[in-house]
mmCIF file of all heavy atoms in Angstrom:
data_model
loop_
_atom_site.group_PDB
_atom_site.id
_atom_site.type_symbol
_atom_site.label_atom_id
_atom_site.label_comp_id
_atom_site.label_asym_id
_atom_site.label_seq_id
_atom_site.Cartn_x
_atom_site.Cartn_y
_atom_site.Cartn_z
ATOM 1 N N THR A 1 0.818 -1.202 -0.001
ATOM 2 C CA THR A 1 -0.007 -0.001 0.003
ATOM 3 C C THR A 1 0.856 1.263 0.002
ATOM 4 O O THR A 1 1.861 1.333 0.709
ATOM 5 C CB THR A 1 -0.930 0.023 1.223
ATOM 6 O OG1 THR A 1 -1.755 -1.149 1.214
ATOM 7 C CG2 THR A 1 -1.819 1.247 1.212
ATOM 8 N N VAL A 2 0.431 2.236 -0.781
ATOM 9 C CA VAL A 2 0.976 3.588 -0.761
ATOM 10 C C VAL A 2 -0.129 4.521 -0.314
ATOM 11 O O VAL A 2 -1.281 4.366 -0.717
ATOM 12 C CB VAL A 2 1.537 4.000 -2.127
ATOM 13 C CG1 VAL A 2 1.836 5.496 -2.162
ATOM 14 C CG2 VAL A 2 2.799 3.217 -2.437
ATOM 15 N N TYR A 3 0.218 5.498 0.512
ATOM 16 C CA TYR A 3 -0.728 6.457 1.033
ATOM 17 C C TYR A 3 -0.382 7.857 0.550
ATOM 18 O O TYR A 3 0.770 8.178 0.301
ATOM 19 C CB TYR A 3 -0.713 6.466 2.562
ATOM 20 C CG TYR A 3 -0.945 5.113 3.183
ATOM 21 C CD1 TYR A 3 0.111 4.316 3.587
ATOM 22 C CD2 TYR A 3 -2.251 4.641 3.375
ATOM 23 C CE1 TYR A 3 -0.106 3.077 4.155
ATOM 24 C CE2 TYR A 3 -2.480 3.414 3.946
ATOM 25 C CZ TYR A 3 -1.401 2.623 4.344
ATOM 26 O OH TYR A 3 -1.633 1.404 4.907
ATOM 27 N N LEU A 4 -1.413 8.675 0.447
ATOM 28 C CA LEU A 4 -1.220 10.090 0.203
ATOM 29 C C LEU A 4 -2.104 10.847 1.168
ATOM 30 O O LEU A 4 -3.345 10.767 1.113
ATOM 31 C CB LEU A 4 -1.598 10.464 -1.248
ATOM 32 C CG LEU A 4 -1.273 11.912 -1.639
ATOM 33 C CD1 LEU A 4 0.235 12.132 -1.709
ATOM 34 C CD2 LEU A 4 -1.915 12.271 -2.977
ATOM 35 N N ARG A 5 -1.467 11.570 2.079
ATOM 36 C CA ARG A 5 -2.166 12.405 3.040
ATOM 37 C C ARG A 5 -2.337 13.787 2.459
ATOM 38 O O ARG A 5 -1.361 14.429 2.083
ATOM 39 C CB ARG A 5 -1.400 12.469 4.357
ATOM 40 C CG ARG A 5 -2.073 13.302 5.437
ATOM 41 C CD ARG A 5 -3.317 12.642 5.943
ATOM 42 N NE ARG A 5 -3.939 13.394 7.028
ATOM 43 C CZ ARG A 5 -5.066 13.062 7.649
ATOM 44 N NH1 ARG A 5 -5.691 11.947 7.285
ATOM 45 N NH2 ARG A 5 -5.553 13.799 8.597
ATOM 46 N N LEU A 6 -3.577 14.234 2.370
ATOM 47 C CA LEU A 6 -3.935 15.534 1.804
ATOM 48 C C LEU A 6 -4.371 16.453 2.938
ATOM 49 O O LEU A 6 -5.428 16.236 3.522
ATOM 50 C CB LEU A 6 -5.049 15.417 0.776
ATOM 51 C CG LEU A 6 -4.785 14.750 -0.581
ATOM 52 C CD1 LEU A 6 -4.397 13.272 -0.432
ATOM 53 C CD2 LEU A 6 -6.020 14.851 -1.459
ATOM 54 N N ASN A 7 -3.570 17.434 3.241
ATOM 55 C CA ASN A 7 -3.884 18.415 4.274
ATOM 56 C C ASN A 7 -4.141 19.786 3.664
ATOM 57 O O ASN A 7 -3.748 20.063 2.538
ATOM 58 C CB ASN A 7 -2.750 18.531 5.279
ATOM 59 C CG ASN A 7 -2.576 17.309 6.153
ATOM 60 O OD1 ASN A 7 -3.528 16.590 6.427
ATOM 61 N ND2 ASN A 7 -1.353 17.084 6.618
ATOM 62 N N SER A 8 -4.776 20.642 4.423
ATOM 63 C CA SER A 8 -5.038 22.022 4.020
ATOM 64 C C SER A 8 -5.641 22.083 2.626
ATOM 65 O O SER A 8 -5.207 22.844 1.760
ATOM 66 C CB SER A 8 -3.743 22.831 4.081
ATOM 67 O OG SER A 8 -3.187 22.815 5.379
ATOM 68 N N LEU A 9 -6.650 21.299 2.427
ATOM 69 C CA LEU A 9 -7.229 21.153 1.079
ATOM 70 C C LEU A 9 -7.897 22.440 0.610
ATOM 71 O O LEU A 9 -8.506 23.171 1.392
ATOM 72 C CB LEU A 9 -8.214 19.996 1.061
ATOM 73 C CG LEU A 9 -7.553 18.630 1.004
ATOM 74 C CD1 LEU A 9 -8.515 17.524 1.400
ATOM 75 C CD2 LEU A 9 -6.991 18.361 -0.394
ATOM 76 N N LYS A 10 -7.769 22.669 -0.683
ATOM 77 C CA LYS A 10 -8.330 23.826 -1.348
ATOM 78 C C LYS A 10 -9.309 23.380 -2.412
ATOM 79 O O LYS A 10 -9.204 22.258 -2.923
ATOM 80 C CB LYS A 10 -7.212 24.646 -2.009
ATOM 81 C CG LYS A 10 -6.075 25.048 -1.088
ATOM 82 C CD LYS A 10 -4.944 25.687 -1.874
ATOM 83 C CE LYS A 10 -3.791 26.063 -0.973
ATOM 84 N NZ LYS A 10 -2.662 26.650 -1.760
ATOM 85 N N PRO A 11 -10.244 24.234 -2.797
ATOM 86 C CA PRO A 11 -11.172 23.842 -3.868
ATOM 87 C C PRO A 11 -10.463 23.410 -5.142
ATOM 88 O O PRO A 11 -10.961 22.499 -5.828
ATOM 89 C CB PRO A 11 -11.996 25.118 -4.086
ATOM 90 C CG PRO A 11 -12.003 25.779 -2.761
ATOM 91 C CD PRO A 11 -10.623 25.527 -2.184
ATOM 92 N N GLU A 12 -9.329 24.009 -5.461
ATOM 93 C CA GLU A 12 -8.614 23.621 -6.671
ATOM 94 C C GLU A 12 -7.967 22.255 -6.577
ATOM 95 O O GLU A 12 -7.426 21.766 -7.584
ATOM 96 C CB GLU A 12 -7.564 24.684 -7.032
ATOM 97 C CG GLU A 12 -6.633 25.044 -5.888
ATOM 98 C CD GLU A 12 -7.039 26.315 -5.166
ATOM 99 O OE1 GLU A 12 -8.247 26.463 -4.863
ATOM 100 O OE2 GLU A 12 -6.160 27.155 -4.873
ATOM 101 N N ASP A 13 -7.994 21.612 -5.425
ATOM 102 C CA ASP A 13 -7.535 20.239 -5.291
ATOM 103 C C ASP A 13 -8.580 19.234 -5.756
ATOM 104 O O ASP A 13 -8.308 18.033 -5.805
ATOM 105 C CB ASP A 13 -7.160 19.928 -3.851
ATOM 106 C CG ASP A 13 -5.954 20.713 -3.363
ATOM 107 O OD1 ASP A 13 -4.968 20.848 -4.131
ATOM 108 O OD2 ASP A 13 -5.976 21.183 -2.214
ATOM 109 N N THR A 14 -9.771 19.693 -6.074
ATOM 110 C CA THR A 14 -10.829 18.809 -6.506
ATOM 111 C C THR A 14 -10.459 18.081 -7.787
ATOM 112 O O THR A 14 -9.912 18.673 -8.723
ATOM 113 C CB THR A 14 -12.131 19.606 -6.732
ATOM 114 O OG1 THR A 14 -12.593 20.100 -5.465
ATOM 115 C CG2 THR A 14 -13.215 18.742 -7.343
ATOM 116 N N GLY A 15 -10.721 16.796 -7.836
ATOM 117 C CA GLY A 15 -10.472 16.006 -9.024
ATOM 118 C C GLY A 15 -10.453 14.530 -8.715
ATOM 119 O O GLY A 15 -10.706 14.105 -7.590
ATOM 120 N N ILE A 16 -10.178 13.751 -9.736
ATOM 121 C CA ILE A 16 -9.997 12.332 -9.564
ATOM 122 C C ILE A 16 -8.524 12.048 -9.330
ATOM 123 O O ILE A 16 -7.671 12.488 -10.106
ATOM 124 C CB ILE A 16 -10.505 11.544 -10.800
ATOM 125 C CG1 ILE A 16 -11.967 11.864 -11.071
ATOM 126 C CG2 ILE A 16 -10.322 10.050 -10.578
ATOM 127 C CD1 ILE A 16 -12.501 11.249 -12.353
ATOM 128 N N TYR A 17 -8.223 11.331 -8.266
ATOM 129 C CA TYR A 17 -6.852 11.023 -7.894
ATOM 130 C C TYR A 17 -6.528 9.589 -8.254
ATOM 131 O O TYR A 17 -7.257 8.666 -7.905
ATOM 132 C CB TYR A 17 -6.652 11.249 -6.398
ATOM 133 C CG TYR A 17 -6.518 12.715 -6.046
ATOM 134 C CD1 TYR A 17 -7.598 13.568 -6.201
ATOM 135 C CD2 TYR A 17 -5.309 13.239 -5.600
ATOM 136 C CE1 TYR A 17 -7.481 14.924 -5.904
ATOM 137 C CE2 TYR A 17 -5.183 14.582 -5.289
ATOM 138 C CZ TYR A 17 -6.271 15.413 -5.446
ATOM 139 O OH TYR A 17 -6.143 16.752 -5.134
ATOM 140 N N TYR A 18 -5.432 9.401 -8.985
ATOM 141 C CA TYR A 18 -4.990 8.107 -9.463
ATOM 142 C C TYR A 18 -3.620 7.770 -8.891
ATOM 143 O O TYR A 18 -2.757 8.638 -8.767
ATOM 144 C CB TYR A 18 -4.838 8.113 -10.986
ATOM 145 C CG TYR A 18 -6.059 8.456 -11.772
ATOM 146 C CD1 TYR A 18 -6.376 9.780 -12.059
ATOM 147 C CD2 TYR A 18 -6.904 7.460 -12.244
ATOM 148 C CE1 TYR A 18 -7.498 10.101 -12.798
ATOM 149 C CE2 TYR A 18 -8.019 7.785 -12.992
ATOM 150 C CZ TYR A 18 -8.317 9.105 -13.256
ATOM 151 O OH TYR A 18 -9.439 9.414 -14.008
ATOM 152 N N CYS A 19 -3.406 6.509 -8.568
ATOM 153 C CA CYS A 19 -2.061 6.041 -8.347
ATOM 154 C C CYS A 19 -1.591 5.226 -9.549
ATOM 155 O O CYS A 19 -2.400 4.697 -10.319
ATOM 156 C CB CYS A 19 -1.932 5.205 -7.053
ATOM 157 S SG CYS A 19 -2.865 3.660 -7.013
ATOM 158 N N ALA A 20 -0.280 5.175 -9.728
ATOM 159 C CA ALA A 20 0.308 4.501 -10.872
ATOM 160 C C ALA A 20 1.654 3.935 -10.476
ATOM 161 O O ALA A 20 2.325 4.466 -9.594
ATOM 162 C CB ALA A 20 0.452 5.465 -12.056
ATOM 163 N N ALA A 21 2.076 2.869 -11.155
ATOM 164 C CA ALA A 21 3.329 2.182 -10.873
ATOM 165 C C ALA A 21 4.251 2.265 -12.078
ATOM 166 O O ALA A 21 3.827 2.063 -13.203
ATOM 167 C CB ALA A 21 3.076 0.742 -10.494
ATOM 168 N N GLY A 22 5.524 2.537 -11.808
ATOM 169 C CA GLY A 22 6.522 2.600 -12.857
ATOM 170 C C GLY A 22 7.891 2.257 -12.341
ATOM 171 O O GLY A 22 8.041 1.721 -11.242
ATOM 172 N N ARG A 23 8.914 2.600 -13.128
ATOM 173 C CA ARG A 23 10.282 2.240 -12.795
ATOM 174 C C ARG A 23 11.202 3.447 -12.705
ATOM 175 O O ARG A 23 12.401 3.280 -12.492
ATOM 176 C CB ARG A 23 10.839 1.281 -13.841
ATOM 177 C CG ARG A 23 10.065 -0.038 -13.972
ATOM 178 C CD ARG A 23 10.322 -0.943 -12.795
ATOM 179 N NE ARG A 23 9.819 -2.281 -13.040
ATOM 180 C CZ ARG A 23 9.928 -3.290 -12.215
ATOM 181 N NH1 ARG A 23 10.556 -3.124 -11.062
ATOM 182 N NH2 ARG A 23 9.428 -4.469 -12.518
ATOM 183 N N THR A 24 10.667 4.641 -12.855
ATOM 184 C CA THR A 24 11.489 5.847 -12.949
ATOM 185 C C THR A 24 11.054 6.879 -11.925
ATOM 186 O O THR A 24 9.849 7.054 -11.693
ATOM 187 C CB THR A 24 11.377 6.446 -14.360
ATOM 188 O OG1 THR A 24 11.721 5.444 -15.342
ATOM 189 C CG2 THR A 24 12.327 7.611 -14.524
ATOM 190 N N LEU A 25 12.024 7.577 -11.348
ATOM 191 C CA LEU A 25 11.743 8.630 -10.380
ATOM 192 C C LEU A 25 11.416 9.920 -11.121
ATOM 193 O O LEU A 25 12.263 10.798 -11.288
ATOM 194 C CB LEU A 25 12.927 8.829 -9.439
ATOM 195 C CG LEU A 25 13.235 7.636 -8.518
ATOM 196 C CD1 LEU A 25 14.553 7.844 -7.792
ATOM 197 C CD2 LEU A 25 12.108 7.409 -7.528
ATOM 198 N N ASP A 26 10.185 10.004 -11.562
ATOM 199 C CA ASP A 26 9.736 11.111 -12.383
ATOM 200 C C ASP A 26 8.216 11.171 -12.323
ATOM 201 O O ASP A 26 7.575 10.172 -11.976
ATOM 202 C CB ASP A 26 10.191 10.903 -13.834
ATOM 203 C CG ASP A 26 10.236 12.188 -14.641
ATOM 204 O OD1 ASP A 26 9.157 12.682 -14.999
ATOM 205 O OD2 ASP A 26 11.356 12.669 -14.923
ATOM 206 N N LEU A 27 7.657 12.314 -12.649
ATOM 207 C CA LEU A 27 6.206 12.479 -12.658
ATOM 208 C C LEU A 27 5.605 12.555 -14.060
ATOM 209 O O LEU A 27 4.413 12.879 -14.197
ATOM 210 C CB LEU A 27 5.814 13.727 -11.872
ATOM 211 C CG LEU A 27 5.775 13.541 -10.340
ATOM 212 C CD1 LEU A 27 5.506 14.868 -9.657
ATOM 213 C CD2 LEU A 27 4.732 12.519 -9.951
ATOM 214 N N ALA A 28 6.380 12.241 -15.068
ATOM 215 C CA ALA A 28 5.821 12.151 -16.416
ATOM 216 C C ALA A 28 4.963 10.903 -16.525
ATOM 217 O O ALA A 28 5.435 9.797 -16.310
ATOM 218 C CB ALA A 28 6.942 12.107 -17.454
ATOM 219 N N GLU A 29 3.713 11.080 -16.883
ATOM 220 C CA GLU A 29 2.785 9.966 -16.806
ATOM 221 C C GLU A 29 3.086 8.857 -17.804
ATOM 222 O O GLU A 29 2.709 7.699 -17.579
ATOM 223 C CB GLU A 29 1.335 10.419 -16.955
ATOM 224 C CG GLU A 29 0.951 11.013 -18.272
ATOM 225 C CD GLU A 29 -0.520 11.380 -18.278
ATOM 226 O OE1 GLU A 29 -0.874 12.368 -17.574
ATOM 227 O OE2 GLU A 29 -1.308 10.717 -18.953
ATOM 228 N N ASN A 30 3.813 9.174 -18.881
ATOM 229 C CA ASN A 30 4.163 8.137 -19.840
ATOM 230 C C ASN A 30 5.210 7.178 -19.316
ATOM 231 O O ASN A 30 5.508 6.160 -19.956
ATOM 232 C CB ASN A 30 4.608 8.733 -21.167
ATOM 233 C CG ASN A 30 5.866 9.570 -21.075
ATOM 234 O OD1 ASN A 30 6.335 9.887 -19.982
ATOM 235 N ND2 ASN A 30 6.438 9.919 -22.219
ATOM 236 N N LEU A 31 5.785 7.444 -18.166
ATOM 237 C CA LEU A 31 6.756 6.563 -17.531
ATOM 238 C C LEU A 31 6.121 5.561 -16.575
ATOM 239 O O LEU A 31 6.830 4.747 -15.994
ATOM 240 C CB LEU A 31 7.800 7.380 -16.793
ATOM 241 C CG LEU A 31 8.645 8.329 -17.666
ATOM 242 C CD1 LEU A 31 9.549 9.178 -16.810
ATOM 243 C CD2 LEU A 31 9.446 7.541 -18.688
ATOM 244 N N TYR A 32 4.839 5.616 -16.428
ATOM 245 C CA TYR A 32 4.105 4.726 -15.539
ATOM 246 C C TYR A 32 3.319 3.691 -16.346
ATOM 247 O O TYR A 32 2.641 4.024 -17.304
ATOM 248 C CB TYR A 32 3.171 5.516 -14.627
ATOM 249 C CG TYR A 32 3.962 6.287 -13.606
ATOM 250 C CD1 TYR A 32 4.533 7.511 -13.918
ATOM 251 C CD2 TYR A 32 4.157 5.792 -12.312
ATOM 252 C CE1 TYR A 32 5.290 8.218 -12.996
ATOM 253 C CE2 TYR A 32 4.916 6.474 -11.382
ATOM 254 C CZ TYR A 32 5.481 7.690 -11.726
ATOM 255 O OH TYR A 32 6.221 8.387 -10.799
ATOM 256 N N ASP A 33 3.449 2.449 -15.927
ATOM 257 C CA ASP A 33 2.932 1.313 -16.711
ATOM 258 C C ASP A 33 1.573 0.829 -16.258
ATOM 259 O O ASP A 33 0.817 0.252 -17.075
ATOM 260 C CB ASP A 33 3.915 0.154 -16.646
ATOM 261 C CG ASP A 33 5.285 0.528 -17.208
ATOM 262 O OD1 ASP A 33 5.337 1.071 -18.309
ATOM 263 O OD2 ASP A 33 6.293 0.274 -16.510
ATOM 264 N N TYR A 34 1.252 0.994 -15.003
ATOM 265 C CA TYR A 34 0.001 0.470 -14.430
ATOM 266 C C TYR A 34 -0.714 1.581 -13.693
ATOM 267 O O TYR A 34 -0.097 2.363 -12.980
ATOM 268 C CB TYR A 34 0.287 -0.702 -13.486
ATOM 269 C CG TYR A 34 1.079 -1.814 -14.129
ATOM 270 C CD1 TYR A 34 2.437 -1.944 -13.900
ATOM 271 C CD2 TYR A 34 0.447 -2.730 -14.971
ATOM 272 C CE1 TYR A 34 3.166 -2.952 -14.500
ATOM 273 C CE2 TYR A 34 1.173 -3.747 -15.558
ATOM 274 C CZ TYR A 34 2.525 -3.842 -15.327
ATOM 275 O OH TYR A 34 3.239 -4.865 -15.921
ATOM 276 N N TRP A 35 -2.027 1.594 -13.864
ATOM 277 C CA TRP A 35 -2.861 2.655 -13.308
ATOM 278 C C TRP A 35 -4.079 2.097 -12.604
ATOM 279 O O TRP A 35 -4.665 1.106 -13.047
ATOM 280 C CB TRP A 35 -3.335 3.599 -14.418
ATOM 281 C CG TRP A 35 -2.215 4.383 -15.028
ATOM 282 C CD1 TRP A 35 -1.319 3.953 -15.965
ATOM 283 C CD2 TRP A 35 -1.897 5.750 -14.747
ATOM 284 N NE1 TRP A 35 -0.443 4.974 -16.282
ATOM 285 C CE2 TRP A 35 -0.775 6.076 -15.548
ATOM 286 C CE3 TRP A 35 -2.440 6.717 -13.911
ATOM 287 C CZ2 TRP A 35 -0.199 7.346 -15.533
ATOM 288 C CZ3 TRP A 35 -1.869 7.975 -13.886
ATOM 289 C CH2 TRP A 35 -0.749 8.272 -14.688
ATOM 290 N N GLY A 36 -4.462 2.752 -11.518
ATOM 291 C CA GLY A 36 -5.732 2.467 -10.899
ATOM 292 C C GLY A 36 -6.859 3.204 -11.585
ATOM 293 O O GLY A 36 -6.658 3.970 -12.522
ATOM 294 N N GLN A 37 -8.084 2.972 -11.103
ATOM 295 C CA GLN A 37 -9.260 3.593 -11.688
ATOM 296 C C GLN A 37 -9.581 4.952 -11.107
ATOM 297 O O GLN A 37 -10.411 5.674 -11.657
ATOM 298 C CB GLN A 37 -10.462 2.666 -11.557
ATOM 299 C CG GLN A 37 -10.350 1.391 -12.376
ATOM 300 C CD GLN A 37 -11.598 0.544 -12.317
ATOM 301 O OE1 GLN A 37 -12.437 0.702 -11.429
ATOM 302 N NE2 GLN A 37 -11.726 -0.364 -13.261
ATOM 303 N N GLY A 38 -8.942 5.324 -10.020
ATOM 304 C CA GLY A 38 -9.120 6.635 -9.447
ATOM 305 C C GLY A 38 -10.116 6.692 -8.325
ATOM 306 O O GLY A 38 -11.004 5.850 -8.187
ATOM 307 N N THR A 39 -9.977 7.715 -7.491
ATOM 308 C CA THR A 39 -10.920 8.005 -6.418
ATOM 309 C C THR A 39 -11.198 9.507 -6.420
ATOM 310 O O THR A 39 -10.299 10.330 -6.572
ATOM 311 C CB THR A 39 -10.378 7.523 -5.049
ATOM 312 O OG1 THR A 39 -11.371 7.701 -4.042
ATOM 313 C CG2 THR A 39 -9.108 8.240 -4.659
ATOM 314 N N GLN A 40 -12.453 9.866 -6.258
ATOM 315 C CA GLN A 40 -12.871 11.270 -6.366
ATOM 316 C C GLN A 40 -12.623 12.019 -5.087
ATOM 317 O O GLN A 40 -13.007 11.580 -4.000
ATOM 318 C CB GLN A 40 -14.367 11.327 -6.732
ATOM 319 C CG GLN A 40 -14.932 12.743 -6.791
ATOM 320 C CD GLN A 40 -14.445 13.524 -7.983
ATOM 321 O OE1 GLN A 40 -14.408 12.976 -9.106
ATOM 322 N NE2 GLN A 40 -14.059 14.773 -7.774
ATOM 323 N N VAL A 41 -11.989 13.177 -5.198
ATOM 324 C CA VAL A 41 -11.817 14.115 -4.088
ATOM 325 C C VAL A 41 -12.534 15.404 -4.471
ATOM 326 O O VAL A 41 -12.263 15.987 -5.521
ATOM 327 C CB VAL A 41 -10.328 14.402 -3.824
ATOM 328 C CG1 VAL A 41 -10.160 15.535 -2.807
ATOM 329 C CG2 VAL A 41 -9.626 13.136 -3.327
#
């Protein structure tokens, strides 16, 4: 399990949040191979 704690939330944080698995220390989404279906915040 990986967790993401969201504090001091703002309206602009609204969206669908996805986790993804990859092999590279980067936030480019094309570097991630597996994706969840998301959870709404």
Side-chain angles (χ1 to χ4, degrees):
T1 302
V2 168
Y3 305 96
L4 187 69
R5 181 70 178 178
L6 289 63
N7 291 332
S8 302
L9 283 163
K10 306 173 182 178
E12 52 262 44
D13 294 318
T14 293
I16 302 174
Y17 283 67
Y18 302 87
C19 64
R23 300 287 192 178
T24 306
L25 295 171
D26 201 287
L27 279 174
E29 65 179 71
N30 64 348
L31 298 175
Y32 289 81
D33 300 310
Y34 304 101
W35 293 79
Q37 293 185 342
T39 185
Q40 177 71 44
V41 172

